């Protein structure tokens, strides 16, 4: 494709994207395809020669679009807000269009230095001190694997340079809670600790926050048994109910015990753009590493996960290998991001954040997040005021966990399996209608439904419509 051909097709594509975003609320929220349907609609053999742009676009429209669950739809309340601001889409296009390669500072000095600048802007925008140094990972999952490797290498005195974990004679232990995102258990497994060495600490039964005294007791018990406490992962906004672990109290234990402390704020980090939310991660300055995803609620398109550490020297000691072909005269003067994480080659992801922050402005983003916080509180009150409905967990941010309990034919409230069946039936009725989408989830062994507010297009009127759908779906 020549630049002139690109210009022509590119203009068409941008028009198509703009139209798509304008008509998104007319599309069904949940993808309306059966397993295998998209795949079967495509040729199983690769094309041999060039096809026209028009034929690719026709298939995009007729085959790909029906296979998309529209997370930008204003009636999408599933999983978490996965906003993709169009300003950040422009940054993504610019990044791809220039075709840069980030394997060292030399290979694209601007890639490294814009990344340093936007990570630092976001540090300031979330009220963090200058002690933090950031980089961009693809996802919070990768950030957590990195954090767990840092924890492992700290507790094992850089075992990677010796016999690795297999040469240690005591197990290394990581502490978290059952509320933590599944990526935490995955990171603990992949960093070599093994699932048996992940200890879930007791939670408060209502807030589902980690109990610091239970953590302290678990650490003492493990030390007494000859094990090595190596890492603590706490959640600021855990996945199920957006539970908030008490960061400050946990940090004190982590520091007293000299254990690596990682804060996973993947979802809730966006809220820290608002000074009034920062009490939720009070104590974060005492952590060793922290990550959050602008690609969720804040709305920079995937994949932009921020990872901050305080001790860059430890990070580089663990992550660098510096083969000769990558060494340069600038070493020591510049940051080599390959020494801050797992991959060597990196994209110019920082442009997504740079475009987003400059074209939308933090003031606009803050206003939208405040709107969502208000909407979530309003929705919570509406649910609580309705006969048969309840809200199951605190609503600190934008996730509202709801349950509807009807009376059975004997006049007694449904419970157990029958209640689960009722919950799954009403949520499926709404989800399969395409009118709205919510994620059912298990809390304390029972199904409930999470209503995650925060799509860029979701206004109060959409939540009013959702309430109508909930009433209809549970009224027969
Ligand atoms: C979404 C989420 C993650 C995982 O994020 P990815 O970027 O998809 O890996 C981890 N922890 C929490 C609390 C999350 O909300």
């Amino acid at each position: 494709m020549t630049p002139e051909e690109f210009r022509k097709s590119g203009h068409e594509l941008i028009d198509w994207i703009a139209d798509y975003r304008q008509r998104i609320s007319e599309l069904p929220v949940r993808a309306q395809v059966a397993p295998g349907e998209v795949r079967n609609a495509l040729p199983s053999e690769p094309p041999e020669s060039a096809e026209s742009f028009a034929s690719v676009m026709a298939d995009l429209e007729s085959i790909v679009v029906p296979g998309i669950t529209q997370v930008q739809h204003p009636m999408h309340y599933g999983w978490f807000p996965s906003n993709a601001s169009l300003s950040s889409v422009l940054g993504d296009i610019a990044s791809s269009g220039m075709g840069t390669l980030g394997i060292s500072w030399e290979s694209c000095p601007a890639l490294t230095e814009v990344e340093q600048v936007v990570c630092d802007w976001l540090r300031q925008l979330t009220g963090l001190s200058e002690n933090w140094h950031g980089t961009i990972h693809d996802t919070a999952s990768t950030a957590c694997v990195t954090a767990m490797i840092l924890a492992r290498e700290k507790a094992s005195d850089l075992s990677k340079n010796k016999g690795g974990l297999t040469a240690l004679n005591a197990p290394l232990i990581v502490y978290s809670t059952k509320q933590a995102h599944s990526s935490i258990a995955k990171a603990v497994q992949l960093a070599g600790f093994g699932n048996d060495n992940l200890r879930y600490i007791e939670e408060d039964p209502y807030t589902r926050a980690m109990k610091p005294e239970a953590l302290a007791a678990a650490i003492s018990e493990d030390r007494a048994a000859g094990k090595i406490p190596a890492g603590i992962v706490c959640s600021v906004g855990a996945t199920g109910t957006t539970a908030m672990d008490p960061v400050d109290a946990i940090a004190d234990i982590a520091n007293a015990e000299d254990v690596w402390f990682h804060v996973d704020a993947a979802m809730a980090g966006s809220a820290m753009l608002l000074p009034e939310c920062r009490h939720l991660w009070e104590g974060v300055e005492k952590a060793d590493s922290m990550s959050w995803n602008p690609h969720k609620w804040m709305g920079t398109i995937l994949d932009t996960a921020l990872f901050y550490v305080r001790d860059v020297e430890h990070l580089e000691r663990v992550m660098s290998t510096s083969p000769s072909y990558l060494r340069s005269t600038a070493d020591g003067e510049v940051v080599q991001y390959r020494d801050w994480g797992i991959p060597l080659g990196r994209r110019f992801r920082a442009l997504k954040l740079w475009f987003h922050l400059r074209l939308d402005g933090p003031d606009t983003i803050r206003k939208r997040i405040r709107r969502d916080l208000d909407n979530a509180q309003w929705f919570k009150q509406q649910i609580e005021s309705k006969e048969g409905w309840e809200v199951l967990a605190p609503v600190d941010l934008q996730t509202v966990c709801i349950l509807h309990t009807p009376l059975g034919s004997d006049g007694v409230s449904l419970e157990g399996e029958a209640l689960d069946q009722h919950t799954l039936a009403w949520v499926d009725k709404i989800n399969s209608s395409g009118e709205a989408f919510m994620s059912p989830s298990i809390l304390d062994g029972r199904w409930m439904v999470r209503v995650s507010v925060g799509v860029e297009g979701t206004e109060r009127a959409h939540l009013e419509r959702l309430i109508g759908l909930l009433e209809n779906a549970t009224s027969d």
Side-chain angles (χ1 to χ4, degrees), residues 213-367:
E213 62 281 9
L215 171 67
I219 292 176
S220 309
E221 192 181 293
D222 285 341
R223 283 214 198 278
K227 299 175 182 179
I228 305 169
I232 301 168
V233 182
C234 95
S235 310
V236 174
T239 311
T241 67
T242 330
M244 302 283 170
D245 289 336
V247 178
D248 200 48
I250 296 171
D252 288 341
I253 296 170
N255 291 346
E257 297 283 348
D258 200 23
V259 173
W260 191 272
F261 180 29
H262 178 66
V263 172
D264 174 21
M267 165 62 213
S270 300
M272 304 311 167
L273 294 166
L274 309 183
E276 66 268 31
C277 288
R278 290 181 198 150
H279 66 96
L280 293 169
W281 73 2
E282 177 78 50
V284 68
E285 286 292 330
K286 299 186 242 173
D288 294 295
S289 55
M290 187 272 287
S291 64
W292 72 276
N293 287 344
H295 68 228
K296 286 183 169 171
W297 197 5
M298 184 176 118
T300 310
I301 189 164
L302 263 164
D303 47 351
T304 49
L306 294 170
F307 179 60
Y308 290 94
V309 294
R310 288 192 303 155
D311 185 352
V312 172
E313 233 171 84
H314 180 63
L315 175 66
E316 291 183 340
R317 224 179 284 129
V318 173
M319 290 290 161
S320 72
T321 48
S322 275
S324 57
Y325 80 100
L326 290 172
R327 278 187 220 139
S328 82
T329 47
D331 284 352
E333 268 181 76
V334 298
V335 161
Q336 299 290 9
Y337 274 132
R338 63 168 187 268
D339 297 338
W340 284 42
I342 297 165
L344 169 61
R346 60 200 294 112
R347 304 185 59 215
F348 205 155
R349 288 195 190 100
L351 286 181
K352 295 191 270 198
L353 287 159
W354 197 60
F355 273 58
H356 185 200
L357 290 172
R358 294 187 62 191
L359 294 174
D360 284 5
D363 53 352
T364 311
I365 299 169
R366 283 193 209 100
K367 202 166 147 211

Side-chain angles (χ1 to χ4, degrees), residues 40-209:
N40 291 334
L42 297 170
S44 54
E45 308 272 308
E48 178 55 30
S49 45
E51 296 180 57
S52 69
F53 182 67
S55 73
V56 174
M57 290 305 290
D59 287 352
L60 186 70
E61 183 69 54
S62 66
I63 301 172
V64 175
V65 170
I68 296 176
T69 292
Q70 304 294 347
V71 295
Q72 309 307 326
H73 193 297
M75 293 297 282
H76 178 256
Y77 305 99
W79 309 301
F80 49 82
S82 182
N83 289 314
S85 67
L86 286 168
S87 55
S88 67
V89 172
L90 288 178
D92 205 6
I93 293 172
S95 162
S96 300
M98 290 188 293
T100 54
L101 169 64
I103 53 172
S104 64
W105 177 85
E106 288 56 29
S107 73
C108 188
L111 183 155
T112 300
E113 297 188 13
V114 176
E115 183 161 332
Q116 287 179 291
V117 168
V118 294
C119 289
D120 200 62
W121 282 359
L122 282 153
R123 172 190 71 72
Q124 296 173 49
L125 285 167
T126 50
L128 296 172
S129 76
E130 286 179 354
N131 297 330
W132 292 99
H133 307 279
T135 184
I136 307 172
H137 282 300
D138 54 358
T139 59
S141 301
T142 307
C144 191
V145 172
T146 309
M148 289 301 93
I149 294 171
L150 296 176
R152 182 189 81 196
E153 292 306 304
K154 177 181 163 157
S156 67
D157 195 18
L158 294 177
S159 62
K160 67 157 195 155
N161 295 333
K162 297 170 266 179
L165 280 192
T166 50
L168 299 184
N169 45 26
L172 303 180
I173 312 294
V174 177
Y175 307 85
S176 192
T177 70
K178 289 214 168 117
Q179 297 300 316
H181 190 268
S182 57
S183 60
I184 309 306
K186 186 168 175 175
V188 168
Q189 290 162 19
L190 296 183
F193 293 92
N195 214 39
D196 291 348
N197 298 313
L198 171 57
R199 265 191 90 161
Y200 291 119
I201 302 301
E202 199 192 331
E203 305 151 18
D204 177 278
Y206 178 60
T207 65
R208 275 127 190 138

Side-chain angles (χ1 to χ4, degrees), residues 431-458:
N431 286 350
S432 47
S433 75
E435 290 206 55
F437 182 84
M438 291 158 282
S439 316
S441 178
I442 291 176
L443 185 66
D444 303 332
R446 285 267 82 85
W447 285 97
M448 56 93 179
V449 175
R450 289 170 75 255
V451 177
S452 171
V453 178
V455 172
E456 199 176 319
T458 304

